[in-house]
């Protein structure tokens, strides 16, 4: 795509997969210097929302896993609100669901449902979400709930989630304090509405691996 030298990667340990899968020990994390030496264009000044040192609770429940990934998604969206544009989060198979599930207003899935989805997510799978603007919501009501593939927030689709099998996970630049700001004096803005939409390109197909179906992230009506 020709953007490797222009677009820096923010390493966000908070997007790491379910800690309960690492009962023996946590993996050793590469430093920004090591990743840079390996040829990755890393943002050295990025401060993660959740550091690798905080990822030690191997008794983390499935619900806590969902909440952790959703927290990172919320922080990233808040940090990039003013700039706008697209947000790309790269993680693991479960990332497609754990970062999008609560963003679209759903409750975290139970373990059996999450595992059913994870088993069907091959490498380079992509899930795409877009913010629903007020005009879109009105149109949806008038059209009986049918969605329209309109862009929102100045053409911003976010987050686009993909599993590339790597260890780096870009996020926005800020701190965890973003999620704890008091709103006592200022009324909270109405919650933003997001929806899962079809990616603008077909899923990657290779060898005998099944093709990813993005619709599996939607609840059956």
């Amino acid at each position: 795509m020709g953007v490797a030298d222009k677009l820096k990667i923010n390493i966000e340990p908070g997007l790491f997969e379910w800690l309960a899968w690492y009962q023996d020990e946590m993996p050793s994390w590469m430093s920004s210097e090591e990743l840079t030496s390996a040829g990755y264009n890393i943002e050295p000044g990025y401060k993660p929302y959740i550091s690798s040192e905080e990822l030690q609770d191997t008794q983390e429940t499935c619900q806590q896993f969902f909440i952790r990934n959703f927290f990172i998604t919320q922080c990233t969206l808040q940090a990039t609100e003013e700039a706008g544009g697209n947000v790309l989060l790269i993680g693991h198979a479960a990332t497609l669901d754990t970062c999008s599930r609560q963003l679209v207003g759903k409750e975290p899935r139970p373990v059996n449902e999450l595992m059913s989805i994870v088993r069907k997510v091959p490498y380079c799978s992509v899930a795409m979400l877009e913010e629903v603007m007020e005009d879109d919501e009105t149109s949806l009501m008038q059209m009986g709930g049918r969605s329209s593939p309109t862009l929102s927030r100045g053409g911003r689709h976010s987050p686009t989630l993909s599993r590339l099998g790597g260890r780096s996970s870009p996020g926005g630049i800020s701190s965890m304090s973003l999620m704890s700001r008091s709103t006592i004096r200022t009324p909270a803005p109405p919650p933003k509405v997001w929806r899962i939409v079809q990616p603008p390109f077909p899923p990657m197909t290779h060898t005998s691996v099944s093709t990813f179906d993005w619709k599996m992230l939607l609840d059956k009506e």
Side-chain angles (χ1 to χ4, degrees):
M1 296 177 64
V3 298
D5 295 332
K6 302 176 183 178
L7 190 63
K8 291 185 177 297
I9 301 172
N10 295 329
I11 305 299
E12 178 51 64
L15 285 176
F16 189 61
E17 54 190 354
W18 192 9
L19 302 185
W21 289 331
Y22 293 83
Q23 292 298 313
D24 295 332
E25 64 177 338
M26 295 298 294
S28 298
W29 296 81
M30 294 178 67
S31 66
S32 295
E33 292 75 16
E34 291 173 324
L35 288 169
T36 300
S37 298
Y40 294 97
N41 189 14
I42 304 301
E43 172 54 65
Y46 175 73
K47 183 179 180 180
Y49 299 111
I50 298 178
S51 66
S52 57
E53 290 76 18
E54 295 177 271
L55 298 177
Q56 301 297 329
D57 183 12
T58 56
Q59 300 304 310
E60 181 181 56
T61 66
C62 185
Q63 182 182 41
Q64 290 172 329
F65 172 39
F66 268 91
I67 292 173
R68 170 165 57 84
N69 276 195
F70 178 46
F71 169 73
I72 298 301
T73 304
Q74 286 181 305
C75 289
T76 304
L77 291 175
Q78 286 191 24
T80 58
E81 179 74 25
E82 183 176 349
N86 300 320
V87 175
L88 174 66
L89 304 178
I90 302 176
H92 301 269
T95 306
L96 300 176
D97 195 47
T98 56
C99 285
S100 66
R101 179 74 177 171
Q102 289 165 277
L103 192 64
V104 297
K106 304 295 184 180
E107 293 295 322
R109 295 184 193 274
V111 178
N112 61 321
E113 289 186 16
L114 176 64
M115 295 305 298
S116 177
I117 287 178
V118 169
R119 295 189 185 99
K120 300 174 184 177
V121 180
Y123 291 107
C124 297
S125 296
V126 175
M128 189 169 188
L129 292 91
E130 69 177 9
E131 183 180 358
V132 180
M133 307 305 285
E134 185 175 351
D135 291 343
D136 291 337
E137 290 182 298
T138 302
S139 297
L140 289 177
M141 293 176 63
Q142 294 175 344
M143 296 170 63
R146 292 188 299 168
S147 60
S148 58
T150 55
L151 301 181
S152 60
R153 194 183 290 172
R156 174 178 181 171
H157 286 284
S158 173
T160 301
L161 308 176
S162 63
R163 181 191 182 196
L164 300 184
R167 72 173 65 232
S168 60
S169 301
I173 301 177
S174 187
S175 68
M176 292 180 67
S177 62
L178 274 172
M179 301 306 297
S180 60
R181 289 178 179 171
S182 173
T183 58
I184 295 178
R185 296 184 178 180
T186 304
K192 298 182 183 300
V193 179
W194 296 83
R195 63 188 173 198
I196 298 175
V197 297
Q198 182 176 3
F201 46 82
M204 180 177 179
T205 303
H206 56 95
T207 64
S208 60
V209 179
S210 60
T211 300
F212 177 68
D213 181 7
W214 64 275
K215 292 182 180 178
M216 73 171 64
L217 302 177
L218 304 175
D219 286 341
K220 295 181 179 179
E221 299 297 336

